[in-house]
Amino acid sequence: MFKVGDKVVYPYHGAGTIQDVEEKNVLGETHLYFILHFPLVDITLMLPESRIEQSGLRKVIPSSDIEKVAKALQNGPDTPPSTSQFSRDTENLLKTGSIIDAAHLVSSLSKKQAERSNGLHIQDRHHLQKARQVLASELVAVQDFSEEQAYEFIDNNLLDTAN
């Protein structure tokens, strides 16, 4: 189970910290809520204990897995086609909360962006930005990187694929 101070990942919001656990009386019933703060997006939310399992909340990866993230950025899947199905699949990947899925998405969309003279479609740009933010937030939590260092890690590992 989770406790105050744990570094966690909440799908689509990225990495944050459990700041508090509070009991709240809602409609005559007492429920336990986890108070989560996500510093990179400056969001605080209350997650009922009863919804933790279905929410996809998980602890951040161990620092020993950082090399797997680098490899996922360097060896992401081939550039996917630009279709509405891809857009739905992309959205679903962001909602898994997996750092490897986020790294593959950043890799794939970055390759696509490099190949297109007119850049990415607005929805793809949004997904790329969101995936980078989710990835960076977990790198910050795991490696004690600054936000800038996390984005440099991402970009440097993407550059390795061009060489």
Side-chain angles (χ1 to χ4, degrees):
M1 188 47 117
F2 300 101
K3 63 185 182 313
V4 173
D6 282 351
K7 292 179 180 181
V8 295
V9 175
Y10 188 73
Y12 206 75
H13 290 295
T17 305
I18 297 177
Q19 287 189 320
D20 201 3
V21 180
E22 297 179 1
E23 283 187 1
K24 298 274 186 191
N25 191 326
V26 179
L27 300 173
E29 293 184 24
T30 302
H31 299 276
L32 205 56
Y33 287 85
F34 286 79
I35 312 302
L36 310 170
H37 179 70
F38 305 93
L40 252 57
V41 291
D42 195 25
I43 292 175
T44 300
L45 64 87
M46 294 174 59
L47 181 62
E49 180 183 40
S50 62
R51 297 211 43 219
I52 284 182
E53 192 171 315
Q54 70 190 54
S55 74
L57 187 72
R58 65 170 174 81
K59 289 192 177 186
V60 296
I61 62 168
S63 60
S64 59
D65 284 356
I66 292 299
E67 189 58 34
K68 291 178 186 174
V69 175
K71 287 189 184 329
L73 285 165
Q74 295 163 9
N75 303 315
D78 292 334
T79 304
S82 179
T83 65
S84 59
Q85 178 62 42
F86 170 66
S87 189
R88 282 190 298 277
D89 291 346
T90 301
E91 192 76 25
N92 288 337
L93 276 178
L94 285 170
K95 290 178 181 176
T96 68
S98 163
I99 193 170
I100 300 301
D101 285 349
H104 282 158
L105 191 56
V106 168
S107 175
S108 181
L109 287 172
S110 295
K111 287 177 192 174
K112 185 176 176 181
Q113 184 174 39
E115 291 171 357
R116 296 182 55 150
S117 59
N118 58 348
L120 293 174
H121 181 274
I122 191 164
Q123 198 166 21
D124 286 343
R125 279 193 311 247
H126 170 74
H127 288 139
L128 177 57
Q129 180 182 13
K130 188 64 180 174
R132 285 174 56 87
Q133 177 267 312
V134 165
L135 187 55
S137 72
E138 191 159 2
L139 291 170
V140 166
V142 171
Q143 288 294 105
D144 292 323
F145 280 163
S146 68
E147 185 176 349
E148 183 178 289
Q149 290 170 318
Y151 284 114
E152 285 175 9
F153 175 90
I154 294 166
D155 292 339
N156 288 341
N157 280 288
L158 287 171
L159 288 176
D160 286 349
T161 62
N163 297 333

